[in-house]
């Protein structure tokens, strides 16, 4: 039975990007609805009580549509229902490592680095809250460098973030870093292993739609869509 | 091959409690190391770069031990390796609903309710930071009531949080609420469906160890370990 999918998302939201990358890598087609989540539209809160994007709606023929909320729940569902290509290794240790890093990016990295930068440079713009607070921005950039040292060290010893194979952890990392890169805040030159890894990801077909994302009033850094940056 | 497990955790940490409940429900034995995570001990940061508990170490005979970090990664691993009793439904919609609620409790609920209350009433004590800030505490309590209305509404229509069967979502919810209850901040009387559901969970064998948890200087509410509260 054919499945129709609709993704409710915001192009510059890291959680939404994780799901778009996984859908793209698995070659699952979907239509999209771009959501101005910061306005808390009732269409969104009716779908997801937390008011968070992304939300994926799957329609299987005449059945009741399946409404999938929260990024991690969507990723787990996609992996279970469409297991090939696999985005988690078969090996228990490498699976656990991918899941550790998923949570690390979505909590530790986002709280201490990405969240500050995106709040100051993106959300304040979207909300009409004026210029970035430079103290917060500096805190975010300091956190970013600290966390990139850690990611760089991992990638010096591994082909992909969780080990030998591409996994959800790589998409989580790339989703978070790509939005920071859109705003020109990625210090690529100081983290060569991260840069090499990101170049590999950036040239995959699943990444292409992200590189064409633009939002009115938010101009990307000049190198944002350059594969050879 | 027999598996030996050691859980590094803190008794009053909601994430640690989720894992203890899942281990208990699956009747998996483990030894425990209680971690003073707020002191950021090197034994912990050597195990988990994020410095977060819980960490579960599995030793399989002579093999290299498997170090499992971050609560969600541990829960997913336990579910895959020890599938019975199942803590996720077979049905895709109910699985997705459980995972939505897992993320809802760990982000939305913790950020807007539990995190405030536990920071003011627990972490400040542990860190020697003095008395709770009443504005923050009020914000946490207001968030708690708002979120309990939502949980109560769900439970009026369902036997368990995610639907027909007990799942990881129930343990996530119970883990968060049980710590708030330790500090006497659960307004049970106003949320009868939540109270009925919590009574069912509280009387399960997996819950017993949590009811005996105590920490020096942190006295539980008198009804904390009362099954008929």
């Amino acid at each position: 039975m054919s499945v129709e999918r609709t993704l409710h998302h915001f192009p510059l939201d890291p959680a939404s990007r994780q799901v778009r990358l996984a859908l793209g890598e698995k070659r699952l087609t979907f239509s999209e609805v771009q959501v101005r989540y910061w306005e808390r539209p009732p269409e969104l809160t009716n779908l997801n009580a937390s008011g968070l994007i992304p939300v994926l709606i799957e329609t299987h023929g005449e059945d009741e549509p399946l409404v999938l909320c929260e990024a991690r729940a969507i990723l787990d569902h996609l992996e279970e229902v469409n297991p090939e290509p696999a985005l988690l290794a078969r090996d228990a240790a490498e699976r656990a490592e991918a899941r550790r890093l998923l949570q690390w990016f979505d909590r530790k990295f986002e709280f201490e680095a990405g969240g500050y930068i995106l709040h100051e440079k993106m959300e304040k713009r979207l909300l009409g809250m004026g210029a970035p607070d430079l103290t917060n921005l500096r805190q975010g950039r300091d956190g970013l460098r600290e966390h990139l040292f850690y990611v760089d060290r991992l990638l010096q010893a591994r082909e992909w973030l969780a080990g030998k194979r591409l996994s959800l952890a790589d998409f989580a990392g790339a989703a978070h870093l790509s939005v920071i890169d859109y705003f020109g805040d990625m210090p690529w030159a100081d983290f060569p292993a991260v840069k090499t890894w990101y170049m590999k990801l950036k040239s995959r077909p699943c990444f292409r739609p992200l590189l064409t994302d633009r939002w009115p009033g938010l101009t990307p850094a000049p190198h944002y869509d350059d594969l050879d940056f």
Side-chain angles (χ1 to χ4, degrees), chain A:
Chain A
M1 187 167 53
S2 84
V3 179
E4 286 191 17
R5 295 178 199 83
T6 304
L7 183 69
H8 294 249
H9 77 110
F10 177 65
L12 301 178
D13 167 51
S16 298
R17 286 186 161 208
Q18 292 184 43
V19 171
R20 290 165 70 202
L21 288 169
L23 286 165
E25 187 70 18
K26 289 179 180 288
R27 298 175 191 275
L28 301 172
T29 54
F30 60 99
S31 55
E32 53 176 319
V33 177
Q34 296 195 350
V35 182
R36 301 169 71 90
Y37 71 91
W38 59 94
E39 295 175 355
R40 301 188 63 81
E43 306 87 73
L44 176 61
T45 42
N46 288 342
L47 286 171
N48 186 7
S50 75
L52 289 175
I53 42 174
V55 175
L56 180 68
I57 302 179
E58 285 189 357
T59 311
H60 302 248
E62 304 286 300
D63 292 356
E64 182 88 358
L66 185 54
V67 179
L68 299 153
C69 298
E70 308 296 337
R72 186 71 178 273
I74 299 173
L75 295 172
D76 286 345
H77 171 82
L78 291 175
E79 191 64 16
E80 284 176 356
V81 175
N82 312 277
E84 296 298 334
L87 296 179
L88 286 173
R90 275 164 189 263
D91 171 63
E94 195 167 320
R95 287 173 90 80
E97 178 66 353
R99 287 168 171 155
R100 175 183 80 81
L101 288 162
L102 268 175
Q103 200 163 343
W104 185 86
F105 272 108
D106 286 344
R107 286 193 66 120
K108 185 89 174 161
F109 181 88
E110 183 168 322
F111 291 8
E112 297 180 358
Y116 283 102
I117 296 173
L118 299 189
H119 181 69
E120 295 301 328
K121 297 192 91 165
M122 180 175 80
E123 291 185 333
K124 278 192 171 175
R125 274 300 230 326
L126 297 171
L127 288 159
M129 286 170 65
D133 176 293
L134 295 182
T135 308
N136 283 347
L137 200 53
R138 192 175 316 116
Q139 177 142 5
R141 285 171 175 159
D142 289 349
L144 175 63
R145 294 189 72 84
E146 189 193 316
H147 292 331
L148 286 175
F149 275 114
Y150 174 66
V151 176
D152 205 76
R153 215 160 49 233
L154 287 182
L155 286 167
Q156 284 169 30
R158 298 175 179 178
E159 186 158 359
W160 296 102
L161 261 179
K164 293 193 192 115
R165 55 180 302 161
L166 174 73
S167 76
L168 293 174
D170 298 290
F171 289 153
H176 283 280
L177 299 187
S178 64
V179 186
I180 295 172
D181 193 42
Y182 184 99
F183 292 100
D185 272 296
M186 276 299 299
W188 294 115
D190 298 338
F191 301 96
V194 179
K195 182 174 175 178
T196 303
W197 161 84
Y198 189 70
M199 284 176 81
K200 278 196 298 187
L201 282 164
K202 202 173 177 178
S203 60
R204 293 182 87 83
C206 68
F207 222 93
R208 267 179 227 145
L210 278 63
L211 300 180
T212 64
D213 285 337
R214 299 292 181 273
W215 195 262
L218 301 174
T219 309
H223 66 269
Y224 172 69
D225 54 6
D226 187 351
L227 294 182
D228 190 24
F229 54 107

